[in-house]
Each structure stands twice: as C-alpha cells, then as structure tokens.
Amino acid sequence: MTRTTPALTHSRNPASPLAWLRSMFDEMDRPTRDFFAPFTVFSAPAIDMVERDGAYRLTAELPGLTDEDVKVSVSDHRLIISGEKRQKDERKDDGFMLRERRYGSFERHVILPVDAQEDGIDATFDKGVLTVTVPKGKETADRGRRIAIRKAE
C-alpha cells in the first residue's frame, strides 16, 4: 500500500496550537514570493515523498547536476539536501541575447517523520533524479551525519 506523506519544510511544529497562524501568514506572503520567484538565482528543488514497503522514499529532480554537485545529510531529525549548479563561462564570439537558465546554490530541509530511522538512510542519483530512502522504525536519538550518494546501477 502506498501512502503519500506531506513533507514539512520548515522547523515549526505543525501540531502547535498556533500552526494555523503560521499558515495564514504563509498564505499572505505567497503573492510576494510568487512575484519575485523568476528573479531568484536558483531555487530549492521540489520533492515527492511516499511511504512504501516499510520505508519513506523521497525523490527530487535536479536537472543539470551530478552526484558530485549534491550533498545529503541528516541533523536534528531533518534531512538536508544541498547543492550547487555552476555556470560554465563559455563565451565565444557570440553574445547572449537571453539567458533564462539559473545557476547558484540551494538548500532544502525536510523534517523526517517521527518513526524514521536516521541510521539506515540511503541515497542514489541517476539521470538528474536524487532518490533518498529512509527506513521506518522507532524514534531515535538526535545526531547528525553525512549520507554518501551512490551512482545508480
């Protein structure tokens, strides 16, 4: 059975009595964020997270990046995905009239579900798609570590 799990992307507790207030301010700020989005250097990747076969599987599309451009770590029960897309300066005689491709660094924090086991986290990278598998289990103590990214087979 597949169950979609919402990924929390901020450090505030959604069970807090004032979570509705945070949600209201987020909605009020959305038009400003949407207006300035095209002007940002490079935004954090969108993710999908599903629960399947005793594990959580998170996928993120990172086109134009390699496994060496991406870092995955875990700290304080948060999965941290960061990376950088570097601009290649290949200026020849032809100038650019329009450049819409974005370059820069990003960092995305995802609060892990309470029953996620940090010790068994595995990450693969294949054709611009990062897949992170987080096993389910009992709640564990907080500690941080870096997760190695393997090339997909």
Side-chain angles (χ1 to χ4, degrees), residues 94-118:
D94 297 333
F96 286 98
M97 290 184 68
L98 175 67
R99 178 175 279 189
E100 292 183 338
R101 294 184 292 166
R102 296 180 183 177
Y103 301 93
S105 60
F106 67 89
E107 187 168 286
R108 177 78 190 258
H109 293 242
V110 179
I111 298 174
L112 294 172
V114 176
D115 61 346
Q117 287 184 333
E118 294 181 13

